[in-house]
Amino acid sequence: MTTTKGCTIKVCELVIRLGDFTIHDGLSLQVYNGEITSVVGASGTGKSVLLKTIIGLIKPIKGSIEIFGQDYNKLSSSEAHEVRRHCGVLFQDGALFGSLTVNENIQIPIKEHFKLPQKTMSELSALKLSMVGLDADVGNKYPSELSGGMRKRVGLARALALDPELLFLDEPTAGLDPIGAAAFDQLLLELQENLHLTVFIVTHDLDTIYTVSNRIAVLGEKKLLVSGTIDEVRSFDHPWVQDYFHGQRSRAINQ
Amino acid sequence: MATTIGWLKVGRTEKSRQVSAGGFWTIDQLSELQPAVDRLKIDGTVATDIDFKQIERMDTAGACLAVRLLDRLEVKSPQQVHANEAVDSIMATVLRYKRSAASDPAESNALIKIIERIGKATLEALDLTACFVVFIGNITRHLLGTVGRPVRFRFSQTMTQIELSGFNAIPIISLISFLIGIVIAYQGALQLGKLGADIYTIDLLAVTILREMGILLAAVVIAGRSGSTFAAEIGSMKLNEELDAMHTIGMNPMEVLVLPRLIGLTLSLPILTLIANFFGVIGGGLMVWLVMDISPTLFVIQFINSLSPWTFWIGIMKAPVFAAVIAVIGCYEGMQVSGSAESLGAHTTRAVVESIFLIIVFDALFSIFFGVIGI
Ligand SMILES: Nc1ncnc2c1ncn2[C@@H]1O[C@H](COP(=O)(O)OP(=O)(O)O)[C@@H](O)[C@H]1O
Ligand SMILES: [Mg+2]
């Protein structure tokens, strides 16, 4: 086995099939310690599926996945529980628990893993809520009473509840207003700096890509097309990549 | 990922007090660190020096606690705190976002709470009744509208509903009626046998199955099967904003969802009742033949003699009414779903419980009605 030092996530020769449809065929990808890696690709290229596979929700047909240097598929359930404790996940549509209030949603990972007084948990959930830019009175509402963008933010607050070392974000800024999205980028940078967070982020937001990413991975044709720094990826010779980084929207940002 | 512990120490010299913290100030350690922080004695008389330099790792939860520690010690000047860069920056972040924790809603006293709940429940009940009446009115309006403009009638959806709610329920309803037929015949033979009136078992069977049990069994099974399905289907569509989408496309949920289910079920249940009657009688006949040794021919003769002209039709007549009750309540409860999966579950349960309850109530009303007009 090759050394995995410096790698938080290491995906090797992954084959994923859902139904009769092969979504990834020999995909390899690395996410390095303390880096923010953005995963881009056309809609339907399997970014969300890749994320779910890495966190162990979808079983690959072939290939290996290592998180924190451990092969996820070989872990016992208590070890997997411990790994989960260090991962925060924001799903594409928030995936909040509809029967719990926002505060309870944020506190539930803490309750699951630690035994802390209610006051401390309220304090922590209030802090997380404010970090993602929501007012304190949102805390007593139910997810069905929130807008899509607010649900996203609550999802992020829940993902941050345990101060994870590894954060998975599925299109975190989709549905946020540009100011909120910019604040989100800043928060991400700040957390990365303070907590040495490693972030795996699926996004279409070119602003996010340019502001926060240390590394970009482009998915396409059922595998990893290219990964590297922004400049490396931008100069990669592939029609989709060229379109993506040199299209109209991208030009507007570069000006 | 291996974590070491976090610690908090207090030492004092003549002139000052020394509070030092170190190790891992992370959420894993919070349950140990927090009591230590809360136990700390506040002593305003001597100056306090705080040393955070030995903290190896601090996350936002740890920083939160550190902020509370500073609050408790009433640290005013930043010179008193010595920390490393990492701790400084995470504490600065937390301080920036931290605000006084949201105050929980004020606790009112128990009596007021009870009164409040009674009031809320009453208003809710009134509201629900009003909603239900409006719903029935809406259905009627659309039903009449469809009669006026048959083009709008969703034929294929209705056929699908007949297949799903009616056709697919045939096996279970047949089996249950067959078994109940056996039970009634056996008990009848046993009890009437004591009087030497065994032959009247057949009369008992005919009246019980045709007038009451056939339709009741079919209706209860359908309430459990289709009532819950209607509520869950429409409810999850509602949660998913599919009903709103329908409205914007110009499809009316009443027309697309409710009417096909209502009409489909109203057509299916009489036929299911017929099937239930048939298998109930077969089951009973079999039992009579085996236990009392009454031949099928004799059974048929006695059976036909026992029937009044109305017995059969009374059972069948109830079917469309019960079907409408099940479909309307199932769809109504589905439409009432809002917010969460919990609400979906609650309304699905209510759909089944309410429709079975109303079926029994209507059955009793029918009995009284038929009793009064004397058939
Ligand atoms: N549960 C599933 N069963 C079958 N196919 C799926 C499932 N989930 C996603 N897919 C397919 O996998 C592909 C990738 O989906 P997804 O990862 O959600 O795309 P995206 O890159 O936009 O996030 C799509 O073609 C989708 O149709
Ligand atoms: Mg996706």
Side-chain angles (χ1 to χ4, degrees):
Chain A
M1 198 192 285
T2 51
T3 171
T4 54
K5 196 164 182 294
C7 264
T8 305
I9 303 175
K10 188 172 172 136
V11 174
C12 262
E13 293 297 320
L14 201 64
V15 180
I16 303 173
R17 199 168 296 151
L18 289 176
D20 297 334
F21 191 66
T22 306
I23 292 163
H24 296 302
D25 194 0
L27 183 146
S28 303
L29 175 80
Q30 273 131 42
V31 174
Y32 296 93
N33 283 344
E35 282 195 354
I36 299 183
T37 301
S38 292
V39 177
V40 301
S43 295
T45 44
K47 304 182 294 295
S48 301
V49 169
L50 176 63
L51 189 153
K52 285 183 187 163
T53 312
I54 294 176
I55 57 181
L57 295 176
I58 296 177
K59 289 264 165 290
I61 291 189
K62 266 213 220 88
S64 72
I65 298 165
E66 287 177 19
I67 299 188
F68 303 120
Q70 291 166 295
D71 189 334
Y72 208 97
N73 289 322
K74 292 189 189 128
L75 295 182
S76 70
S77 67
S78 68
E79 286 168 325
H81 192 72
E82 182 59 19
V83 168
R84 290 215 174 90
R85 136 87 185 89
H86 293 277
C87 296
V89 184
L90 166 63
F91 287 97
Q92 188 159 9
D93 42 15
L96 301 178
F97 301 114
S99 52
L100 303 180
T101 64
V102 166
N103 276 335
E104 288 165 340
N105 261 288
I106 302 174
Q107 289 164 15
I108 216 163
I110 309 179
K111 268 191 197 144
E112 181 61 31
H113 288 272
F114 304 108
K115 202 166 158 35
L116 293 175
Q118 181 59 44
K119 183 162 167 288
T120 310
M121 290 199 292
S122 305
E123 196 177 64
L124 288 178
S125 65
L127 175 72
K128 299 285 137 85
L129 213 52
S130 137
M131 278 165 67
V132 298
L134 289 172
D135 291 334
D137 60 356
V138 174
N140 291 324
K141 289 191 175 168
Y142 284 90
S144 57
E145 299 165 337
L146 304 180
S147 77
M150 289 161 91
R151 277 203 285 273
K152 263 262 150 75
R153 288 163 187 249
V154 176
L156 180 66
R158 188 178 66 184
L160 291 174
L162 291 175
D163 284 308
E165 290 162 36
L166 174 58
L167 196 57
F168 293 91
L169 306 172
D170 199 345
E171 305 201 10
T173 51
L176 293 194
D177 58 286
I179 298 171
F184 170 82
D185 291 346
Q186 285 313 312
L187 175 70
L188 212 55
L189 284 175
E190 210 170 311
L191 290 175
Q192 184 201 17
E193 195 181 324
N194 290 335
L195 299 174
H196 307 290
L197 222 54
T198 308
V199 187
F200 177 100
I201 169 169
V202 172
T203 187
H204 290 300
D205 190 329
L206 285 160
D207 282 309
T208 305
I209 293 174
Y210 281 106
T211 340
V212 305
S213 309
N214 301 107
R215 195 173 290 271
I216 296 171
V218 184
L219 299 191
E221 297 166 7
K222 306 194 174 176
K223 46 171 77 74
L224 182 76
L225 285 179
V226 58
S227 94
T229 60
I230 295 186
D231 291 330
E232 284 164 17
V233 171
R234 269 164 59 93
S235 56
F236 184 71
D237 187 24
H238 183 279
W240 192 85
V241 179
Q242 286 302 313
D243 256 10
Y244 192 85
F245 288 100
H246 300 282
Q248 220 160 40
R249 289 172 148 227
S250 193
R251 268 202 297 278
I253 286 175
N254 285 326
Q255 272 163 15
Chain B
M1 269 191 321
T3 48
T4 55
I5 56 165
W7 48 265
L8 181 72
K9 282 186 198 139
V10 186
R12 57 183 317 164
T13 57
E14 302 251 318
K15 275 179 278 164
S16 73
R17 193 154 66 134
Q18 187 85 33
V19 175
S20 53
F24 275 55
W25 275 57
T26 55
I27 194 165
D28 314 71
Q29 303 297 321
L30 219 57
S31 54
E32 322 276 316
L33 287 172
Q34 187 161 352
V37 168
D38 289 338
R39 266 200 311 271
L40 216 60
K41 290 211 181 56
I42 304 163
D43 183 358
T45 54
V46 290
T48 307
D49 265 333
I50 296 155
D51 179 11
F52 283 160
K53 281 208 211 77
Q54 297 170 65
I55 292 182
E56 290 166 50
R57 184 179 163 85
M58 180 182 258
D59 62 10
T60 55
C64 236
L65 188 64
V67 169
R68 198 200 294 180
L69 175 66
L70 297 189
D71 277 352
R72 273 185 69 88
L73 295 173
E74 294 175 342
V75 174
K76 298 208 180 64
S77 69
Q79 284 84 20
Q80 279 172 272
V81 184
H82 312 283
N84 53 34
E85 208 173 305
V87 170
D88 264 342
S89 91
I90 181 88
M91 283 187 64
T93 304
V94 166
L95 267 180
R96 189 144 46 79
Y97 287 113
K98 199 168 158 57
R99 55 192 165 204
S100 44
S103 55
D104 292 326
E107 292 276 308
S108 45
N109 80 37
L111 184 66
I112 294 182
K113 254 190 203 156
I114 292 174
I115 295 176
E116 197 179 305
R117 269 172 71 170
I118 294 176
K120 268 193 186 145
T122 314
L123 285 181
E124 228 162 67
L126 287 176
D127 205 41
L128 276 183
T129 318
C131 277
F132 190 65
V133 171
V134 170
F135 185 76
I136 301 232
N138 251 329
I139 290 187
T140 318
R141 193 162 58 87
H142 281 97
L143 209 53
L144 295 178
T146 315
V147 173
R149 288 165 64 200
V151 202
R152 304 220 63 147
F153 178 61
R154 310 267 165 168
F155 184 75
S156 65
Q157 263 106 322
T158 310
M159 291 316 282
T160 310
Q161 286 306 323
I162 290 181
E163 184 190 344
L164 293 178
S165 318
F167 189 76
N168 291 351
I170 290 178
I172 181 73
I173 288 183
S174 312
L175 180 63
I176 289 183
S177 328
F178 182 78
L179 295 178
I180 292 288
I182 289 179
V183 171
I184 291 175
Y186 183 66
Q187 290 301 329
L190 227 55
Q191 302 303 322
L192 293 174
K194 291 181 192 161
L195 304 172
D198 326 28
I199 193 73
Y200 290 108
T201 304
I202 298 170
D203 298 54
L204 175 76
L205 187 71
V207 173
T208 320
I209 293 280
L210 296 192
R211 247 183 111 124
E212 297 290 344
M213 287 317 278
I215 169 65
L216 268 184
L217 284 175
V220 168
V221 169
I222 290 298
R225 239 182 135 261
S226 303
S228 57
T229 308
F230 293 175
E233 276 173 348
I234 295 179
S236 67
M237 290 179 81
K238 179 117 189 286
L239 285 183
N240 215 2
E241 297 187 333
E242 287 175 48
L243 294 192
D244 298 343
M246 277 186 174
H247 270 298
T248 56
I249 298 171
M251 297 158 81
N252 189 315
M254 280 287 172
E255 226 169 78
V256 183
L257 297 176
V258 179
L259 286 193
R261 286 175 168 75
L262 175 62
I263 295 173
L265 208 56
T266 313
L267 294 179
S268 307
L269 195 55
I271 300 172
L272 288 175
T273 306
L274 203 63
I275 293 170
N277 288 348
F278 177 76
F279 279 97
V281 170
I282 294 284
L286 205 65
M287 202 62 199
V288 166
W289 190 17
L290 291 179
V291 176
M292 289 162 39
D293 215 9
I294 293 176
S295 74
T297 334
L298 188 57
F299 176 83
V300 171
I301 295 170
Q302 179 68 20
F303 187 81
I304 292 175
N305 279 340
S306 71
L307 294 181
S308 82
W310 279 98
T311 316
F312 171 74
W313 288 111
I314 283 176
I316 296 291
M317 257 162 40
K318 297 179 197 170
V321 178
F322 290 1
V325 167
I326 296 169
V328 168
I329 293 199
C331 295
Y332 172 74
E333 289 297 342
M335 298 263 185
Q336 293 301 306
V337 170
S338 71
S340 63
E342 209 171 39
S343 148
L344 181 63
H347 283 285
T348 307
T349 308
R350 282 175 60 165
V352 176
V353 174
E354 280 170 7
S355 49
I356 291 181
F357 172 74
L358 280 183
I359 284 169
I360 308 269
V361 170
F362 271 87
D363 196 47
L365 291 179
F366 270 119
S367 285
I368 296 170
F369 173 73
F370 290 132
V372 169
I373 65 170
I375 54 177

